[in-house]
Amino acid sequence: VMGGADYYMLLHHIDDDTMIAPGPRGSRWADIKRYASILRRVLETPEPTPAILRDAGLTKDDCSFMVSHLYSLLPPLQVTPGMDSQRQTQALDTYLGHYLLKMIRLWKLVAEVIELDVDELRPIRVVDAVNHDGCPERRVTMVWSSDIAVQGPTLICDGTADDEILRRFWPLAAVVRVDARSDHYHAIQVVDRPVSKTMIGYNADGKHESPRPDEEARSRNHRAKIARLAEVEASKGGGKIAIITHKPVAERMRAEHPNLVGLGIEIGFERPDGRWSGHFGAIRGLDRWRGVGAVMVVGRQRPPVRDIEDRARAIFYKDSRSIQYLIGDGLPTETRGLRMADGRGRAVEVETHPDPLVSRVLDQIIRAELEQAVHRGRLLRRTAATPVLVIILTNVPLNLTIHE
């Protein structure tokens, strides 16, 4: 579980008297005010670090005391026996959104990192923002990841896991690799472009305030080409086809090409609860397409650079290794290779991140999700009598042998 950039509190609340001691002030009021003032003052510096907090006189014990103090101010959760589920949900939402919980989280994070020898307060950022009324405000944003609560021996089975990320949560994890060979598939992959979300889904989610009609038409045309490719493959009689892509792109394709369902082409599926699944971010563990004749994977996930780095900050927020951040939303590229069936490699240009930790997160977002999508067709379990066609419409190199 990770906190995101939308989990924030206002900077001036940190040492606001009405926030940190709304009732009678006890014997430790002077300490409470001093700890809060130190934290706010350090966070207002251009590049706050744990060392600056320590030099200012703040300790881990001081932070733990602030956590206990703020918990003592937190009103109880207003859930009672016999309360209906809707009121329970409302009460829980009110409780979880309480400003004191955000202040408690802030002090917990400071306590966890204040003794680290690192060059940043990694889980905490102060940003200038504009509120709903159009007024400027300074926010303290927080990211983190929760430790695993499971005790005892744990078996983790994941074909695309990253060793470093696993050991963030299971420090003593012993990684065993099991080689498995897939022989009964035929893979075709594009090599000249990553096929961005904008290319196939410009404004597909309707969030652009002033969308460009020409870009919308271009994306719609690309989706039509994808649909036509699926129709051609379906006409060959090789079985059903699964198309896995971005959620908004899948939604648009279902609306624009309703005839695909009748041809045995599935672009996601509706669950019993009315929600849709089978798109990027909602494919893990699915066995729905184990017998399809073809799997088409269209595009790849690529969040903004800041979001990728925030995920790395959240996962490795207690790590003593430095993280290098980029300016802007561009990622550098490097030449990598597709593994071809004829024994040769095919060079492709792919986006990378120069920081090793962020690079691991980026790899999980892009490469691992694509491999998970490809293997929804259960390539390892195919036989000569049940081969599967794999069409990959992105040039990201995967741990997969490509035939064309």
Side-chain angles (χ1 to χ4, degrees):
V1 178
M2 301 182 192
D6 58 344
Y7 194 87
Y8 69 89
M9 58 174 287
L10 299 182
L11 179 65
H12 71 268
H13 284 176
I14 292 177
D15 61 348
D16 187 318
D17 294 357
T18 61
M19 299 286 183
I20 59 178
R25 296 171 181 174
S27 58
R28 296 206 60 179
W29 162 245
D31 290 334
I32 293 170
K33 184 65 175 179
R34 182 170 65 86
Y35 301 155
S37 297
I38 289 174
L39 180 57
R40 176 176 175 177
R41 186 171 66 251
V42 171
L43 289 182
E44 287 181 319
T45 61
E47 297 181 357
T49 66
I52 295 176
L53 283 172
R54 296 194 300 267
D55 292 343
L58 199 63
T59 68
K60 184 174 183 178
D61 288 342
D62 299 336
C63 298
S64 298
F65 166 75
M66 287 298 295
V67 171
S68 299
H69 166 68
L70 293 169
Y71 264 128
S72 71
L73 303 178
L74 188 66
L77 174 61
Q78 299 296 323
V79 173
T80 58
M83 181 182 289
D84 64 70
S85 60
Q86 183 177 0
R87 292 173 61 200
Q88 286 183 22
T89 300
Q90 292 173 345
L92 182 61
D93 289 344
T94 299
Y95 179 82
L96 294 177
H98 201 285
Y99 77 91
L100 280 172
L101 280 181
K102 296 183 178 182
M103 296 185 73
I104 289 167
R105 171 57 64 182
L106 174 64
W107 282 101
K108 280 185 174 181
L109 290 174
V110 175
E112 288 184 295
V113 302
I114 194 170
E115 295 181 349
L116 295 180
D117 185 20
V118 293
D119 57 1
E120 62 172 336
L121 282 174
R122 185 165 297 164
I124 303 164
R125 290 282 190 274
V126 175
V127 299
D128 293 311
V130 177
N131 64 19
H132 295 300
D133 297 324
C135 300
E137 60 185 21
R138 303 206 77 190
R139 297 175 179 176
V140 180
T141 65
M142 293 166 268
V143 295
W144 70 92
S145 50
S146 298
D147 293 335
I148 300 298
V150 175
Q151 301 295 320
T154 305
L155 177 64
I156 307 160
C157 298
D158 190 333
T160 56
D162 179 89
D163 298 7
E164 285 283 342
I165 294 176
L166 282 179
R167 292 195 178 99
R168 150 63 185 97
F169 300 99
W170 290 275
L172 301 180
V175 178
V176 178
R177 302 194 181 280
V178 180
D179 290 329
R181 184 182 177 93
S182 305
D183 289 320
H184 303 291
Y185 74 93
H186 187 86
I188 304 172
Q189 183 169 3
V190 301
V191 297
D192 61 336
R193 64 191 66 193
V195 184
S196 68
K197 185 178 180 181
T198 299
M199 179 179 177
I200 56 176
Y202 175 80
N203 199 36
D205 53 11
K207 292 183 178 180
H208 278 278
E209 294 183 1
S210 302
R212 291 176 50 183
D214 60 328
E215 288 292 339
E216 288 184 310
R218 189 174 292 112
S219 280
R220 187 164 56 250
N221 290 338
H222 286 313
R223 292 193 295 271
K225 293 176 183 178
I226 295 165
R228 179 57 183 155
L229 175 59
E231 290 174 352
V232 170
E233 292 301 329
S235 70
K236 298 177 182 179
K240 295 183 177 180
I241 297 175
I243 298 179
I244 302 174
T245 186
H246 305 276
K247 181 180 180 181
V249 175
E251 291 171 346
R252 286 297 181 99
M253 289 190 67
R254 289 194 296 267
E256 294 164 354
H257 304 279
N259 64 303
L260 296 181
V261 175
L263 299 175
I265 301 169
E266 190 169 76
I267 315 173
F269 62 94
E270 189 172 12
R271 305 185 321 203
D273 62 3
R275 297 184 179 183
W276 284 80
S277 191
H279 47 263
F280 290 151
I283 56 175
R284 301 297 176 105
L286 292 179
D287 201 33
R288 183 182 183 90
W289 300 307
R290 63 184 179 274
V292 297
V295 175
M296 291 178 57
V297 181
V298 184
R300 90 297 190 230
Q301 294 192 117
R302 201 292 219 172
V305 172
R306 182 62 180 270
D307 291 355
I308 299 167
E309 293 175 343
D310 281 349
R311 293 190 198 187
R313 287 173 50 218
I315 294 171
F316 298 108
Y317 80 102
K318 292 184 289 186
D319 200 293
S320 61
R321 289 170 290 184
S322 297
I323 289 181
Q324 176 186 349
Y325 302 103
L326 297 176
I327 299 174
D329 195 43
L331 284 172
T333 62
E334 68 178 31
T335 302
R336 293 183 181 175
L338 304 182
R339 186 175 74 225
M340 304 302 295
D342 61 8
R344 295 180 299 173
R346 181 64 182 267
V348 293
E349 292 295 315
V350 296
E351 290 183 316
T352 61
H353 196 289
D355 182 83
L357 296 180
V358 181
S359 180
R360 289 179 178 274
V361 175
L362 177 64
D363 179 70
Q364 286 293 292
I365 293 171
I366 298 180
R367 191 263 323 158
E369 187 71 3
L370 289 171
E371 289 185 5
Q372 288 285 340
V374 166
H375 282 277
R376 291 314 92 201
R378 300 306 189 198
L379 276 61
L380 294 173
R381 301 187 181 189
R382 298 291 178 149
T383 67
T386 60
V388 62
L389 172 67
V390 179
I391 300 176
I392 305 167
L393 299 184
T394 179
N395 67 347
V396 176
L398 307 179
N399 185 18
L400 191 74
T401 299
I402 305 302
H403 301 86
E404 297 182 57

